[in-house]
């Protein structure tokens, strides 16, 4: 099994760009797709990036995903920050036997 | 529109049992793997259990193995989680989510509180 480590919190101003990292503890990040979820208070998570860098329909192109094999990590980048982007963000991947592994979550504050 | 609606949560004493249900609509439920994911108050997401579309493959997180049982009823477009021998640390919002390699749709969750 592996773990996914995210920063506990990040903050940035409206209109700016923020990047949230997700580092895999063992095995290669490139070996399994990474997804990203947004969760607003009191609501269920919703997917914003799937298969490393693909955006579901309806998700603004301000959201983008990438992976970096050198640091064995994935990243979620949100550009042109809006106050409505303030939420918790979780990365997710899977290992054998279809088990889902989630990162600990990152609280994004837009101030 | 895809909808997943959980029910069955509530307050239960340690050692007790609960059965959660998740009713699916708006997609070809019978073709999808289904999962339960939980979130303790103020904490992150934790995958709990998986069942394949045919019910032929089932997995559990180590934290619930031997105590929880997942099942599905295709005729009722529903998935269930039977939870026995509940512990304080099982207190959480329980979400059902569709998907195999990753969750694509989520329900709104049902709160389970284990307390004496």
């Amino acid at each position: 099994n592996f773990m996914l480590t995210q920063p506990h919190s990040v903050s940035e101003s409206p209109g700016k760009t923020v990047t949230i990292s997700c580092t895999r503890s063992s095995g290669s990040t490139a070996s399994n797709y990474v997804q990203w979820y947004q969760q607003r208070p009191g609501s269920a998570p919703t997917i914003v990036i799937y298969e490393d860098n693909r955006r579901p329909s309806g998700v603004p192109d301000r959201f983008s995903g990438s992976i970096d094999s050198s640091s064995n990590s994935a990243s979620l980048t949100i550009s042109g920050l809006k106050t409505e982007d303030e939420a918790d963000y979780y990365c997710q991947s899977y290992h054998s036997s279809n088990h889902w592994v989630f990162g600990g979550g990152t609280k994004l504050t837009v101030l | 529109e895809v909808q997943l609606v959980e029910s069955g949560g509530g307050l239960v004493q340690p050692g007790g049992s609960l059965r959660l249900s998740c009713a699916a609509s708006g997609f070809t439920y019978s073709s999808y793997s289904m999962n339960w994911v939980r979130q303790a108050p103020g904490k992150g997401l934790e995958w709990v259990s998986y069942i394949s579309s045919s019910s032929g493959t089932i997995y559990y997180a180590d934290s619930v193995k031997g105590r929880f049982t997942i099942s599905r009823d295709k005729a009722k477009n529903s998935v269930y989680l039977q939870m026995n021998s509940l512990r304080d640390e099982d207190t959480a919002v329980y979400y059902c989510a569709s998907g195999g390699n990753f969750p694509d749709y989520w329900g709104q969750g049902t709160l389970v509180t284990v307390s004496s």
Side-chain angles (χ1 to χ4, degrees), chain B residues 17-110:
Chain B
S17 298
L18 274 180
R19 188 191 193 214
L20 306 184
S21 301
C22 170
S25 62
F27 66 109
T28 312
Y29 163 81
S30 59
S31 300
Y32 276 73
S33 302
M34 298 295 294
N35 296 259
W36 288 94
V37 177
R38 67 185 180 184
Q39 186 170 35
K43 302 297 184 182
L45 301 168
E46 178 190 16
W47 169 80
V48 173
S49 184
Y50 160 94
I51 186 167
S52 64
S53 57
S54 67
S55 301
T57 302
I58 287 173
Y59 300 113
Y60 299 98
D62 288 344
S63 57
V64 306
K65 201 173 294 181
R67 300 187 299 122
F68 290 12
T69 302
I70 192 171
S71 62
R72 66 191 296 167
D73 184 333
K74 288 190 176 181
K76 294 184 178 180
N77 275 15
S78 293
V79 62
Y80 307 98
L81 188 67
Q82 176 67 44
M83 304 186 296
N84 298 331
S85 303
L86 283 161
R87 305 167 180 168
D88 291 350
E89 56 265 34
D90 295 319
T91 293
V93 173
Y94 284 74
Y95 297 100
C96 71
S98 61
N101 293 337
F102 62 88
D104 41 21
Y105 296 107
W106 301 68
Q108 284 304 303
T110 186

Side-chain angles (χ1 to χ4, degrees), chain A residues 49-65:
Chain A
I49 293 291
Y50 69 101
E51 294 180 355
D52 296 339
N53 55 20
R54 304 183 70 172
R55 261 188 328 274
S57 61
V59 174
D61 60 5
R62 301 185 297 105
F63 290 79
S64 63

Side-chain angles (χ1 to χ4, degrees), chain A residues 35-55:
Chain A
Q35 283 63 233
W36 290 91
Y37 297 86
Q38 178 191 71
Q39 186 179 34
R40 295 191 173 102
S43 296
T46 59
I47 192 165
V48 293
I49 293 291
Y50 69 101
E51 294 180 355
D52 296 339
N53 55 20
R54 304 183 70 172
R55 261 188 328 274

Side-chain angles (χ1 to χ4, degrees), chain A residues 1-4 22-37 47 49-52 67 72 74 90-103, chain B residues 33 35 37 47 49-50 59 98-104:
Chain A
N1 290 4
F2 59 87
M3 295 173 55
L4 298 173
C22 171
T23 302
R24 179 167 168 159
S25 62
S26 62
S28 171
T29 292
S31 63
N32 303 102
Y33 286 126
V34 174
Q35 283 63 233
W36 290 91
Y37 297 86
I47 192 165
I49 293 291
Y50 69 101
E51 294 180 355
D52 296 339
I67 62 169
N72 211 32
Y90 293 89
C91 60
Q92 176 269 331
S93 191
Y94 59 87
H95 63 82
S96 60
S97 303
N98 283 324
H99 296 179
W100 294 343
V101 179
F102 292 96
Chain B
S33 302
N35 296 259
V37 177
W47 169 80
S49 184
Y50 160 94
Y59 300 113
S98 61
N101 293 337
F102 62 88
D104 41 21

